[in-house]
Amino acid sequence: MVHSRIAVTGSTGLIGTALVRSLRADGHEVVRLVRHPARAGDEVEWDPKRGYVDGAGLVGCDAVVHLAGAGVGDHRWTEEYKREIRDSRVLGTAAIAETVASLGVPPKVLLCGSAIGYYGDTGDRAVDESAPHGTGFLPSVCVDWEAAAAPAEAAGIRTVYARTGLVVAREGGAWGRLFPLFRAGLGGRLGSGRQYWSFIALHDHIAALRHLLDTESLSGPVNLTGPGPVTNAEVTAAMGRVLHRPTLLSVPAPALRIALGDFAEDVLGSQRVLPARLLDSGFTFAFPGIDGAIRAALH
């Protein structure tokens, strides 16, 4: 992409922070959507719960990257927090999609965050973007989340859904919690350890988002996961190898259910998700293996 004006929601999150840094390093102009009156030249106000976006701030944008949403692993899943997870995604996406669709000259692409939670528990079965959605809370959220972008698609804007896996990073997400535990020698497998984790290095995730922005032939769902999902037991062994720590402990499933509530079922669930469309479009992973992804996160 030539030097462009790109709007980003969720710019203070793990992925948003890294994406903004990457875009600006390459000379792109980034405007950040913030939930307070704009105080800086690069800020645009929005309020996802009210469905408000200052559309004037998006005029001249070539792309909009929508990453905002309440953290899935940040709180115990009460009914109230589950509502927050859903509303933050569905209402926010609807507000962004309706606003970009209403612009006289809309952006060429709307890149929306989504998640491999779409597929539900796939067990040992490998799935790609052609697979149907699963059943349960997270699949239903992902279906509604992606559907909320319909106004942008209807307006002829290339709309891409980045179905993200587990991002290997020190700074946040699931791995941000794992690193301190394993460093302290307290890491171990969760439940049976046989469940598949579809991971992606943060470096590759940002490169993949940039690839989605630049690849005009891509629209619809694209899985942002590494090419080789591994089991939780294999993740545990790799963390021990890279960090040179014992990994003898394990957390039984009942203890996870007490600690995490409904979210435990997703930690214990298996998602063996393949990035078929990413690979078919010519994307190359810098850190395709789990050991390399962990090392990249440390350095």
Side-chain angles (χ1 to χ4, degrees):
M1 188 182 277
V2 293
H3 286 181
S4 302
R5 178 176 165 88
I6 301 169
V8 180
T9 77
S11 64
T12 59
L14 170 68
I15 293 164
T17 299
L19 178 64
V20 169
R21 190 187 308 127
S22 169
L23 289 168
R24 284 181 171 161
D26 284 344
H28 298 291
E29 179 189 354
V30 177
V31 293
R32 300 176 301 109
L33 279 82
V34 296
R35 297 178 203 201
H36 54 72
R39 294 196 282 261
D42 70 338
E43 293 184 345
V44 173
E45 185 181 0
W46 81 313
D47 184 337
K49 287 190 176 169
R50 282 198 297 122
Y52 169 74
V53 181
D54 179 5
L58 300 185
V59 171
C61 284
D62 303 284
V64 175
V65 183
H66 173 45
L67 301 173
V72 170
D74 295 359
H75 294 77
R76 184 182 168 83
W77 280 13
T78 60
E79 288 307 309
E80 183 181 9
Y81 195 67
K82 283 162 78 171
R83 195 158 51 248
E84 172 74 11
I85 288 171
R86 181 184 294 276
D87 287 353
S88 67
R89 285 161 173 74
V90 176
L91 300 180
T93 301
I96 292 291
E98 287 162 11
T99 300
V100 297
S102 73
L103 296 175
V105 181
K108 297 182 184 72
V109 57
L110 172 61
L111 174 50
C112 278
S114 185
I116 61 169
Y118 178 93
Y119 304 106
D121 190 333
T122 74
D124 290 341
R125 181 172 49 94
V127 298
D128 62 17
E129 293 88 351
S130 65
H133 64 79
T135 57
F137 173 66
L138 279 185
S140 74
V141 168
C142 291
V143 168
D144 293 348
W145 187 6
E146 294 181 10
E153 284 196 44
I157 298 166
R158 179 169 70 90
T159 306
V160 190
Y161 307 101
R163 291 180 182 164
T164 297
L166 290 164
V167 178
V168 186
R170 261 187 324 187
E171 301 89 346
W175 244 277
R177 295 178 169 205
L178 289 181
F179 275 117
L181 286 174
F182 277 87
R183 274 213 169 99
L186 300 175
R189 60 180 171 78
L190 304 177
S192 71
R194 291 193 296 270
Q195 68 273 33
Y196 276 90
W197 281 20
S198 296
F199 70 91
I200 184 169
L202 179 61
H203 172 97
D204 282 330
H205 193 281
I206 300 306
L209 290 175
R210 299 284 304 267
H211 178 78
L212 296 182
L213 288 174
D214 292 344
T215 307
E216 292 179 8
S217 61
L218 283 173
S219 62
V222 181
N223 294 333
L224 264 58
T225 59
V230 290
T231 65
N232 174 256
E234 289 171 317
V235 167
T236 301
M239 290 286 280
R241 276 195 303 275
V242 174
L243 294 172
H244 307 294
R245 293 290 187 276
T247 56
L248 302 175
L249 301 174
S250 63
V251 184
L256 278 173
R257 291 191 180 99
I258 291 168
L260 302 177
D262 288 353
F263 182 47
E265 301 313 315
D266 289 277
V267 172
L268 296 167
S270 183
Q271 294 199 299
R272 193 176 184 181
V273 179
L274 303 177
R277 298 194 67 207
L278 204 53
L279 292 170
D280 288 349
S281 66
F283 183 78
T284 302
F285 287 87
F287 303 102
I290 185 62
D291 289 53
I294 294 168
R295 287 195 186 94
L298 293 173
H299 303 117

